[in-house]
Amino acid sequence: MKPLIALVGRPNVGKSTLFNRILRERAAIVDSTPGVTRDRHISEGFWQGRAFRLMDTGGYAPEDGVISNAMLEQTMTAINDADIVVFVADARAGLSYDDLELAKVLRQRFSHKPVFFAVNKVESPQLTYEAASFVSTGYTEPWCISAKDGSGVADLLDAILLELPESDADQEEDGAIRLAVVGRPNVGKSSFVNALLGNNRQIVSDIPGTTRDAIDTRFTRKQQDFLLIDTAGLRKRTKISAGIEYYSSLRSEKAIERCEVVMVMIDAGPGIEKQDLKIINMATERKRAVLLLVNKWDLIEKDSKTSKQYEDTLRSHMGNLSYVPVLFISALTKKNLYRAIDTAREIRDNRARKISTSALNRFLEEALAANPPSSKGGTELKIKYMTQIQAAWPVFAFFCNNPELVQTNFRKFLENRLREKFDLKGVTISLRFLQK
């Protein structure tokens, strides 16, 4: 693995701004509200030809409360996992009790790790003088930086580079299957990720909207690498407030564009709703494969016919999206969690499959014999042959005498037959009719 650098400190000292500055992109949500970042957020970074992983964390604030305690646990886990720790303080706010407590924890429990103490928001000579008072933390040479305008950050990275452990993974890791877990708030997305990985990778609570950033996690199953993206809940646009929730929603939509398979999660209790169908449509419009996960299945009273009846009801609501596979899971009991990953891998392989032209034309001959296209305006549609066009998803070209003669029901017939014949369940496919 590439070496891991963790940014830690109190809430609102500028860790996410520094995270974005180092990565040179808006990877983390930044807002003046303390505690915007809650989970550990890891992204790939590069500096002077060296590759590393950079981790943003929730604020270190030992307070009571479900979210505060979980953020504290996430911060401690981050420090433990990191190869290098960047301890960030705020020059404008001054030295606080929590700064001193975190400094004490780092010196006593993590003295074996390289720690870089960065005093942020130093944007004037006066603030440089104020930063000197931070030596009472025990770190006598603080790095004076401004994550906002970038001053001092390059010097800090140059120094960190000298401490980075050697790694043979400096090049981009290829071959990982990218899966996004999306859905409405509080359906159990983070619980699913945590149960799958066997640790509290994401903060979980009954409070809707706990997850805000799209969180990337790498893992391996059956010799295959996966990149799992947990996202904030997607609500109706009219219910999304400006600021933090708005940017969380944008990052969820961006996660859909980054992935190959979208794992749409719903709560088994209320079942599928209009917003769930909109999320699936969002994925298919972006030509992503889709797997529907029905979570909290352990809470449903059932008999031998329940799952079949439930799935039939789902598909009746899904209409043209009924080709999407359905899997019943429970993040609490871990029912079908690994089956969900294996199914997603199958769907992804189907999405990437290239079908030979000869096999496609045998299929076309059989399909036309079973259901000849109807004529339109007295002119008969004649399809000469078909082939698969090179694309990230299955795109099939049909060469015919006049594309305008193709009727919607015949196009749907060909799409359904293609899915059955070549096992394209869950895969968005495109049909293009071209004049020969």
Side-chain angles (χ1 to χ4, degrees), residues 198-238:
N199 61 59
N200 292 330
R201 179 65 180 84
Q202 264 75 265
I203 296 174
V204 175
S205 81
D206 293 331
I207 304 169
T210 300
T211 300
R212 288 173 170 172
D213 274 304
I215 310 298
D216 291 6
T217 305
R218 284 188 176 269
F219 70 98
T220 301
R221 174 166 170 77
K222 296 180 179 179
Q223 288 77 53
Q224 173 64 56
D225 291 332
F226 292 87
L227 179 65
L228 194 61
I229 310 168
D230 182 23
T231 65
L234 281 170
R235 298 203 292 175
K236 293 180 182 178
R237 285 283 184 185
T238 54

Side-chain angles (χ1 to χ4, degrees), residues 36 48 69 79 90 144 159 169 222 229 258 327 339 376 407 432:
V36 170
Q48 305 285 22
N69 290 335
I79 296 171
D90 183 346
C144 296
K222 296 180 179 179
I229 310 168
R258 289 173 53 206
L327 195 59
R339 185 180 172 192
K376 185 177 180 182
Q407 299 185 37
R432 296 180 183 174

Side-chain angles (χ1 to χ4, degrees), residues 175-177 179 196-197 218-227 336-346:
I177 297 175
L179 311 176
L196 187 66
L197 301 176
R218 284 188 176 269
F219 70 98
T220 301
R221 174 166 170 77
K222 296 180 179 179
Q223 288 77 53
Q224 173 64 56
D225 291 332
F226 292 87
L227 179 65
N336 283 338
L337 295 195
Y338 294 104
R339 185 180 172 192
I341 298 302
D342 293 339
T343 303
R345 179 178 180 176
E346 291 174 12

Side-chain angles (χ1 to χ4, degrees), residues 254-271:
K254 184 179 178 182
I256 290 175
E257 295 176 354
R258 289 173 53 206
C259 77
E260 296 167 279
V261 181
V262 181
M263 305 171 78
V264 179
M265 185 175 292
I266 67 172
D267 187 326

Side-chain angles (χ1 to χ4, degrees), residues 90-91 94-95 100 117 119 127-140 142 144:
D90 183 346
L95 191 63
L100 293 172
F117 181 43
V119 181
L127 289 171
T128 302
Y129 176 77
E130 294 291 335
S133 66
F134 281 73
V135 295
S136 55
T137 58
Y139 296 100
T140 55
C144 296

Side-chain angles (χ1 to χ4, degrees), residues 55 121 137 146 205 215-216 250 259 262 303 314 344 403 425-426:
M55 181 194 297
K121 307 183 185 180
T137 58
S146 170
S205 81
I215 310 298
D216 291 6
L250 287 184
C259 77
V262 181
D303 56 31
L314 276 179
K425 62 182 180 182

